[in-house]
Amino acid sequence: PKKLSDTLLMHMRFLRPPRRAAAPPNANLTRRYASSARLAALVERIPVVTPELPAWKRESLELRERLAAHLSKVYPEQLTVAQEGPDRRQARLRAAAIIESEGAREGEGDRTGDETSLDRKLAHRLYLVLREGGAWRLPQVDWSGGAEAPTVRQCLGEHLSASCGASLQLHWVGNAPLAHLPAGEAATFFWRLQYVAGEVEPGAGAEGHAWLTKEELAERLDGEEGALAREVCGPFD
């Protein structure tokens, strides 16, 4: 018995203490910023078309195409046209016209300069900003912690519906904020959301909205928020 008890004691020394239960999602925010936290949404529209190829890659592809054309055998046009047939040729031309019109890299917003349109900067990520009180800012709202307070998602989600329209459908990217900016006893926490569908309808207090690229967003936002936008906004190469 004594030998068995010594063996048990020796093994117990290497047993890890039980892990504490994970704190609720709002616990850390509530504990540190009980009444001074602010929630901001970085609403992102992902690229619609592939990005432009770098110059070196375009030159490489053009060289390969010229080499392939030089080594290929050219058949008489009478043979190729007869082999393709009128129906197939018409279908090919129709498909090429659709690709040229629908696959354009320039949208209507680019041609008209409309920053409220999602049909602009198709190869770039765009971010939603609101104009309030003469200044551009991300959608954001004050949040008071506490047991009876709404969750972060509830609070920020309700604010987005009120300030940007109920038809706007968004996807939350993760459960944790992507960044925060402390300011003494206060702090602003930023959450990333991706645009899915719907139209932005600015609510009361908003003078307008815009979908901006990373560079445009950094120029419109003031101070630390502009610097933060350069760090957390794509592209993520």
Side-chain angles (χ1 to χ4, degrees):
K2 185 177 185 301
K3 185 176 180 180
L4 178 61
S5 63
D6 292 342
T7 303
L8 290 174
L9 288 174
M10 181 180 66
H11 282 286
M12 289 178 64
R13 294 175 184 174
F14 297 97
L15 292 177
R16 298 180 63 181
R19 298 181 62 182
R20 293 181 297 175
N26 296 339
N28 293 332
L29 297 184
T30 306
R31 199 159 40 236
R32 185 170 181 182
Y33 304 102
S35 59
S36 56
R38 193 163 182 81
L39 312 177
L42 187 70
V43 181
E44 173 187 66
R45 188 219 68 184
I46 61 177
V48 179
V49 297
T50 56
E52 292 280 0
L53 294 176
W56 67 268
K57 195 164 188 177
R58 291 198 302 270
E59 294 174 359
S60 175
L61 291 175
E62 291 172 1
L63 179 60
R64 291 173 60 182
E65 290 176 359
R66 290 200 301 268
L67 181 61
H70 177 72
L71 298 176
S72 63
K73 185 175 182 180
V74 180
Y75 291 92
E77 184 177 351
Q78 295 84 354
L79 295 179
T80 58
V81 173
Q83 184 180 9
E84 185 179 37
D87 294 339
R88 181 171 295 182
R89 181 174 181 274
Q90 184 178 4
R92 177 175 59 80
L93 295 176
R94 187 185 300 114
I98 293 175
I99 292 173
E100 184 177 356
S101 61
E102 298 296 332
R105 306 191 70 84
E106 185 182 65
E108 185 65 24
D110 295 311
R111 292 187 286 271
T112 61
D114 183 11
E115 292 184 340
T116 65
S117 173
L118 281 165
D119 192 23
R120 66 183 297 266
K121 304 294 183 183
L122 303 180
H124 297 78
R125 295 173 186 264
L126 296 183
Y127 300 91
L128 175 63
V129 288
L130 301 177
R131 187 172 179 84
E132 299 176 343
W136 292 98
R137 61 192 304 180
L138 298 174
Q140 50 191 276
V141 63
D142 291 324
W143 178 75
S144 58
E148 303 299 326
T151 65
V152 166
R153 284 200 177 196
Q154 290 173 342
C155 182
L156 190 54
E158 292 174 359
H159 176 72
L160 286 169
S161 297
S163 61
C164 302
S167 67
L168 194 63
Q169 299 179 34
L170 305 172
H171 169 71
W172 288 74
V173 182
N175 295 317
L178 65 95
H180 80 286
L181 288 176
E185 295 297 325
T188 301
F189 293 83
F190 299 83
W191 266 263
R192 187 188 302 275
L193 298 92
Q194 286 184 345
Y195 169 82
V196 177
E199 296 292 335
V200 177
E201 301 171 359
E207 303 160 10
H209 76 283
W211 289 97
L212 306 177
T213 63
K214 171 182 177 178
E215 292 74 17
E216 294 169 341
L217 180 65
E219 292 177 0
R220 301 287 178 91
L221 298 180
D222 296 328
E224 291 184 328
E225 284 194 10
L228 180 65
R230 296 186 185 276
E231 295 183 14
V232 299
C233 296
F236 306 105
D237 298 332

